[in-house]
Amino acid sequence: MDFTIRAAMPEDCKDISRMIMELATYEKMPDQVEITQRDLEQDGFSKNPFFQCIIAEVPEQHRTKESHAKVGYALYFYTYSSLKGRSVYMEDLYVMPEFRGKGIGKALMSKIAQLGLAAGCNQLNFTVLNWNKPSMDFYLSQGCLDVTSDMRTMRCEGAALESLAEGNPKK
Amino acid sequence: MDFTIRAAMPEDCKDISRMIMELATYEKMPDQVEITQRDLEQDGFSKNPFFQCIIAEVPEQHRTKESHAKVGYALYFYTYSSLKGRSVYMEDLYVMPEFRGKGIGKALMSKIAQLGLAAGCNQLNFTVLNWNKPSMDFYLSQGCLDVTSDMRTMRCEGAALESLAEGNPKK
């Protein structure tokens, strides 16, 4: 099947928002999605964007029955390793179920690798949910490594983040 | 002890590079450091920087015997969660051994929380090496959560990253 991969534009945010919800539903956490189309427009397309996004689009004749032509996306941003330097982080990689197995996911990920290398990055990093064996197998087949074992992933949010900012850490 | 926390400037990169090496030595991987003072200058202080950095500095009379006044740093950058939106990631938090226990690490981390909240972030994320119990205890005491259990951290680098970019994943 023909498809194109291109940089997202502000007018894609409605579809990106739709697909973020589809992905979160697949990941069994649709109730966790707090960001809206408007957040995406502001956060990804302002002067200093928080993320970048690429879109997979199919031609007219392959639109879904709901008339969607934008059938996949990858959301990414640049990060930094104080050991290895410039890195690219893939936050999301998603292809609508009926368009899987056609090389679209592979093409999206390949594009991020290209963009990362062009920007001087040495690493592409991302996470996969523990139970998501099909995705894990896909990534391992692409030469990716599971580097979970040597580190703990930590988070500070909500009231704890506010207390930390005030210099009064939450007990 | 008096100390100040301030944004890093290009002329701090020599000290940041020194402290990155000290941190890597503490983390038992000094041979893994590939970035140089010049990389830091280019990657952190160009038009679209890959990272931001804050520095902890002590007054003249508290300099180390090697005459270092810059005794700690935190390296961070902004990221994005497609569930929660704007986030800040703390790549490194370091204080020279003889200056620990004086609130400098806490002040550096608090500053990142402040900067993150001011930028509209909902989360502060970071990783800790598995064996580094003292750091882990410090972070837990600050209200941070260990969120390792639900995900796998993945990486693609070197020849695998190049193959991926070329669309010919490494077997």
Side-chain angles (χ1 to χ4, degrees), chain A residues 20 23-24 27 29 31-36 39-40 42-44 46-48 50-51 73 75 77-89 91-92 106 109-111 113-114 116-117 119-131 136 139-158 160-171, chain B residues 20 23-24 27 29 31-36 39-40 42-44 46-48 50-51 73 75 77-89 91-92 106 109-111 113-114 116-117 119-131 136 139-158 160-171:
Chain A
I20 284 175
L23 174 57
E27 290 183 332
M29 42 186 177
D31 54 325
Q32 301 269 315
V33 179
E34 289 175 16
I35 62 166
T36 62
D39 291 326
L40 293 169
Q42 284 184 336
D43 297 341
S46 53
K47 199 178 156 214
N48 293 305
F50 280 76
F51 66 85
Y73 77 101
L75 195 151
F77 41 78
Y78 294 101
T79 63
Y80 205 72
S81 156
S82 60
L83 299 175
K84 308 293 177 187
R86 302 180 185 190
S87 309
V88 57
Y89 188 90
E91 167 71 12
D92 282 347
K106 218 174 276 193
M109 194 170 172
S110 178
K111 185 69 185 177
Q114 286 166 33
L117 286 172
C121 298
N122 302 306
Q123 297 182 330
L124 164 61
N125 295 300
F126 54 101
T127 60
V128 186
L129 290 175
N130 253 342
W131 54 263
M136 193 69 174
Y139 293 125
L140 292 172
S141 77
Q142 306 299 302
C144 303
L145 306 171
D146 181 345
V147 295
T148 313
S149 62
D150 19 341
M151 64 189 96
R152 310 295 303 174
T153 303
M154 305 290 294
R155 177 169 300 159
C156 187
E157 60 189 342
L161 184 58
E162 282 170 30
S163 297
L164 184 61
E166 287 159 13
N168 303 308
K170 203 181 164 194
K171 289 296 171 295
Chain B
I20 284 175
L23 175 56
E27 290 183 332
M29 42 186 177
D31 54 326
Q32 300 269 316
V33 180
E34 289 174 17
I35 62 165
T36 62
D39 292 324
L40 294 169
Q42 284 183 338
D43 297 340
S46 54
K47 198 177 157 216
N48 293 304
F50 280 76
F51 66 86
Y73 78 101
L75 194 150
F77 41 79
Y78 294 101
T79 64
Y80 205 72
S81 157
S82 60
L83 299 175
K84 309 291 176 188
R86 302 179 185 191
S87 309
V88 58
Y89 188 91
E91 167 71 13
D92 282 348
K106 217 172 275 192
M109 195 168 172
S110 178
K111 184 71 187 175
Q114 287 167 31
L117 286 171
C121 297
N122 302 305
Q123 297 182 330
L124 164 61
N125 296 299
F126 55 100
T127 59
V128 186
L129 290 175
N130 251 342
W131 55 261
M136 192 70 175
Y139 293 126
L140 292 172
S141 77
Q142 305 298 301
C144 303
L145 305 171
D146 182 344
V147 295
T148 313
S149 61
D150 17 335
M151 63 190 97
R152 311 295 302 174
T153 303
M154 305 289 295
R155 178 169 300 158
C156 188
E157 61 190 340
L161 184 58
E162 283 171 29
S163 297
L164 184 62
E166 287 159 12
N168 304 307
K170 203 181 165 196
K171 291 293 173 296

Side-chain angles (χ1 to χ4, degrees), chain A residues 44-63:
Chain A
F45 300 91
S46 53
K47 199 178 156 214
N48 293 305
F50 280 76
F51 66 85
Q52 319 268 341
C53 190
I54 51 176
I55 295 278
E57 198 163 20
V58 293
E60 195 65 30
Q61 70 271 26
H62 293 304
R63 282 176 179 261

